[in-house]
Amino acid sequence: ITLHIPDVHIESVTTALEDYDIVVALENAVQEWTEVLSSAIKREMEKKATGKGPLGEIDFWRDRNAALSSLYEQLNLPNV
């Protein structure tokens, strides 16, 4: 899952707040991110461990970690 990061350059928060195009781009990005994150979390919550025994459980948590860690890392990029 890849989050769309708007191509905006912000030098000053005060100046950015006065720029309608920047505000709209950021609002749209946050709305899209909210939908993507909600959908990803819902999908992960619906998954059940497959396989038998501890190895199936380990694979389940490994897959969940990979899916959610990717989103977490994207949200912590310096340009976000």
Side-chain angles (χ1 to χ4, degrees):
I1 301 171
T2 303
L3 297 175
H4 169 71
I5 299 173
D7 187 24
V8 295
H9 181 70
I10 299 174
E11 292 181 21
S12 160
V13 174
T14 306
T15 305
L17 287 172
E18 296 172 0
D19 187 329
Y20 178 79
D21 292 332
I22 290 177
V23 172
V24 169
L26 294 176
E27 286 176 345
N28 289 337
V30 169
Q31 182 176 359
E32 179 185 332
W33 295 350
T34 302
E35 292 169 8
V36 168
L37 292 170
S38 293
S39 174
I41 291 169
K42 181 179 177 184
R43 253 191 331 271
E44 289 302 316
M45 296 299 291
E46 292 172 350
K47 288 183 182 178
K48 303 289 182 210
T50 57
K52 296 181 181 178
L55 292 178
E57 190 74 18
I58 289 170
D59 287 339
F60 168 77
W61 287 105
R62 187 176 289 143
D63 291 344
R64 178 172 279 184
N65 180 55
L68 298 178
S69 291
S70 170
L71 292 170
Y72 176 80
E73 289 172 11
Q74 290 178 65
L75 288 172
N76 284 299
L77 291 171
N79 58 337
V80 174

